[in-house]
Amino acid sequence: MKLYSTKNPATRVSFKEAVFNSMPQDKGLYMPVNIPRLEDNFLNHLDEYTLPEIAFHVAQKLIGDDIPADDLKEIIADAISFLAPAVKLEENVFVLELWHGPSLAFKDFGARFMSRVMSYFLEKGEKQLDVLVATSGDTGGAVALGFLGVPNTRVTILYPKGKVSDIQELQLTTNGQNIRAVEVDGTFDDCQALVKQAFTDKELNEKFRLTSANSINISRLIPQTFYYFNAYAQLLKRDINKVVFSVPSGNFGNIGAGLLAWKMGLPVSHFIAATNVNDTVPEFLKTGVYQPKPSVATLSNAMDVGDPSNWVRIADLFKEDAEALKTQVTGYSYTDEQTLEAIKFIFDNYNYVACPHTAIAWQALRDWQQDNYKRDTAGIFLSTAHPCKFPDVFPESIGGKVDVPEQVAGLSKKQKHATALGKDFAGFKDYLLKND
Ligand SMILES: *Cc1c(COP(=O)(O)O)cnc(C)c1O
């Protein structure tokens, strides 16, 4: 697999280089030089394969011989070890549950695959890999659990004090082993600024082999294509072969992977980009003007992004052809009030509890189907997290109905370990140097 930078299409790097660099020096994003098309024979018979089989086939097509087949198969068996069921709510409405992994969010797909690929590429005798990650909640849990126990790696998670839910905090702070948590007296942006500054600090880079684990890493994007193919496979089993996907979007890595799957030949009729009031992309799709703005805090906080970091990948996939992009993607955005109404509607009508991100995707699908309904086309909205991660969002009547999955059942008995720090870089740097 060869990749180029969106800012400099003539560059060529290997998959390994792209995985460890995360972002090219020129601050573009890595994209595959060649987007392979999957064989019709495979696509037409997707329903005959399991999720790991689909994942292996898709990954091998993309990655080529950078990872030999047997090794890749092992990485996938280990990383993609849970299901992603498409559950029918009503005629032509399905919810794709992407939260059956260890951290109860779809980010498990990306984080688990990335951690294993990084560990695979680390050569014997190489310096320990130090992963720094800032989180507003879900990323940290997925990365922590993804790297937990992975040899020759260590993860440092920075999270904003008092701004993640209790379950999220427990997922970040109770791991031990090669995972450590830093509770920053500041906002998510402060956490991100500390991580960014660490990457440019000479002394830290001499002492440690630092790498980031954020959603722009190509090894997080690739595994997110798997569940789009697998969702289609599940509908083929019900004799449905026309689908639209509605994707709750923040940094646009999830929907970006869906569009990559489509470019690889997955016959998706349409994509819906569903956001909260951080509506930079829906506005762009309406007006043609891409105007990043400061993020606004909402109930669906994993999507509080004013300048989505993966957007350049999507623009690049369409070669900047805004018309082609608009034909394939429609945007919708919703307020917190509308999000709560959607949660209530879904609960009252389907006896199903959706997390706030999921509810936004459902509402967008409903609004799209209102204008574009076709009897032969199923809508699939992506459920990106289990509702138990956002307990404060639900009214008592609904919150009481949220089940507690085994992944979190024992967490509250565990001891929290986090180092409290301020938001100044000197303090963070000192912490890293003194705790090596
Ligand atoms: C990260 C996240 C999103 C947004 O996904 P992007 O790939 O950043 O668009 C949506 N929902 C949940 C629950 C998340 O954790």
Side-chain angles (χ1 to χ4, degrees):
M1 180 185 204
K2 287 273 177 281
L3 300 106
Y4 63 90
S5 164
T6 51
K7 282 236 174 98
N8 191 351
T11 48
R12 291 290 179 273
V13 303
S14 68
F15 180 51
K16 177 178 172 179
E17 210 175 325
V19 168
F20 283 131
N21 287 355
S22 245
M23 184 183 259
Q25 293 280 319
D26 62 20
K27 304 257 178 356
L29 293 188
Y30 289 120
M31 285 294 280
V33 172
N34 171 34
I35 296 179
R37 224 198 113 84
L38 293 164
E39 310 79 7
D40 286 339
N41 198 27
F42 174 71
L43 293 168
N44 295 334
H45 296 97
L46 271 173
D47 53 336
E48 294 165 20
Y49 300 94
T50 64
L51 171 56
E53 286 167 350
I54 291 172
F56 172 68
H57 193 83
V58 172
Q60 203 184 29
K61 267 281 180 194
L62 269 167
I63 296 171
D65 49 17
D66 290 50
I67 301 181
D70 287 346
D71 296 336
L72 184 60
K73 212 170 252 173
E74 225 171 274
I75 289 171
I76 282 171
D78 190 31
I80 314 297
S81 54
F82 45 90
L83 297 173
V87 177
K88 184 171 180 177
L89 292 190
E90 66 167 280
E91 197 61 26
N92 284 334
V93 179
F94 293 82
V95 51
L96 184 64
E97 295 180 343
L98 299 175
W99 39 256
H100 291 273
S103 85
L104 303 172
F106 86 99
K107 291 186 172 74
D108 283 327
F109 282 90
R112 287 174 70 80
F113 187 77
M114 174 176 63
S115 61
R116 281 144 187 85
V117 166
M118 282 185 173
S119 160
Y120 175 80
F121 280 137
L122 274 177
E123 277 152 40
K124 278 204 178 60
E126 276 193 64
K127 206 164 161 180
Q128 164 180 280
L129 193 65
D130 254 298
V131 180
L132 299 185
V133 57
T135 186
S136 56
D138 279 343
T139 300
V143 171
L145 292 163
F147 277 93
L148 183 64
V150 173
N152 216 13
T153 67
R154 176 172 62 180
V155 178
T156 308
I157 300 162
L158 289 79
Y159 70 96
K161 180 179 173 179
K163 295 198 174 65
V164 302
S165 77
D166 289 349
I167 285 179
Q168 287 175 329
E169 184 169 28
L170 286 167
Q171 287 179 335
L172 302 175
T173 58
T174 58
N175 294 295
Q177 296 186 55
N178 58 331
I179 313 294
R180 53 189 189 176
V182 174
E183 181 178 28
V184 175
D185 194 0
T187 62
F188 166 66
D189 289 339
D190 294 325
C191 297
Q192 201 156 33
L194 289 174
V195 169
K196 276 199 177 142
Q197 200 172 341
F199 285 124
T200 60
D201 186 273
K202 193 158 165 278
E203 196 181 349
L204 289 177
N205 280 284
E206 274 165 9
K207 183 147 189 199
F208 303 110
R209 179 175 184 181
L210 300 178
T211 195
S212 88
N214 57 20
S215 79
I216 57 171
N217 196 295
I218 191 73
S219 64
R220 276 182 64 172
L221 194 75
I222 291 171
Q224 291 176 179
T225 62
F226 303 161
Y227 49 74
Y228 286 93
F229 289 98
N230 188 239
Y232 190 81
Q234 293 175 67
L235 290 214
L236 275 183
K237 286 190 183 140
R238 297 172 181 259
D239 290 324
I240 298 169
N241 63 7
K242 290 205 175 76
V243 299
V244 302
F245 282 105
S246 179
V247 187
S249 297
N251 271 316
F252 281 72
N254 195 352
I255 196 171
L259 288 161
L260 180 58
W262 169 66
K263 284 272 177 188
M264 292 178 77
L266 186 67
V268 181
S269 308
H270 201 71
F271 285 91
I272 299 161
T275 72
N276 56 34
V277 291
N278 294 283
D279 61 352
T280 302
V281 169
E283 275 302 299
F284 165 77
L285 291 168
K286 241 180 270 158
T287 65
V289 181
Y290 187 85
Q291 182 60 55
K293 27 191 173 184
S295 66
V296 177
T298 74
L299 293 177
S300 48
N301 63 1
M303 311 200 297
D304 294 349
V305 182
D307 187 6
S309 56
N310 273 290
W311 181 250
V312 287
R313 281 210 164 103
I314 294 172
D316 195 75
L317 274 179
F318 286 86
K319 301 284 166 252
E320 314 285 344
D321 179 352
E323 284 314 308
L325 177 54
K326 279 196 219 166
T327 308
Q328 194 61 21
V329 187
T330 305
Y332 291 90
S333 71
Y334 300 97
T335 62
D336 278 352
E337 200 183 353
Q338 291 171 312
T339 305
L340 289 171
E341 276 168 26
I343 287 171
K344 187 168 181 321
F345 188 99
I346 296 165
F347 182 71
D348 290 346
N349 287 274
Y350 310 121
N351 194 28
Y352 190 89
V353 185
C355 92
H357 314 80
T358 304
I360 283 177
W362 170 81
Q363 186 66 55
L365 175 62
R366 186 175 172 84
D367 288 345
W368 191 84
Q369 283 184 330
Q370 205 80 289
D371 297 331
N372 303 279
Y373 190 79
K374 289 206 188 86
R375 268 180 53 195
D376 66 350
T377 305
I380 305 176
F381 65 101
L382 273 54
S383 178
T384 43
H386 190 282
C388 76
K389 298 187 87 174
F390 310 94
D392 301 339
V393 167
F394 303 104
E396 181 51 41
S397 56
I398 297 178
K401 298 278 162 45
V402 177
D403 63 323
V404 180
E406 55 171 344
Q407 289 96 320
V408 301
L411 274 182
S412 55
K413 286 194 223 79
K414 289 196 182 172
Q415 188 66 30
K416 168 185 162 182
H417 289 290
T419 303
L421 291 179
K423 58 185 179 191
D424 61 299
F425 181 67
F428 179 51
K429 179 172 172 177
D430 196 51
Y431 163 81
L432 290 175
L433 290 172
K434 287 200 173 125
N435 294 280
D436 63 339

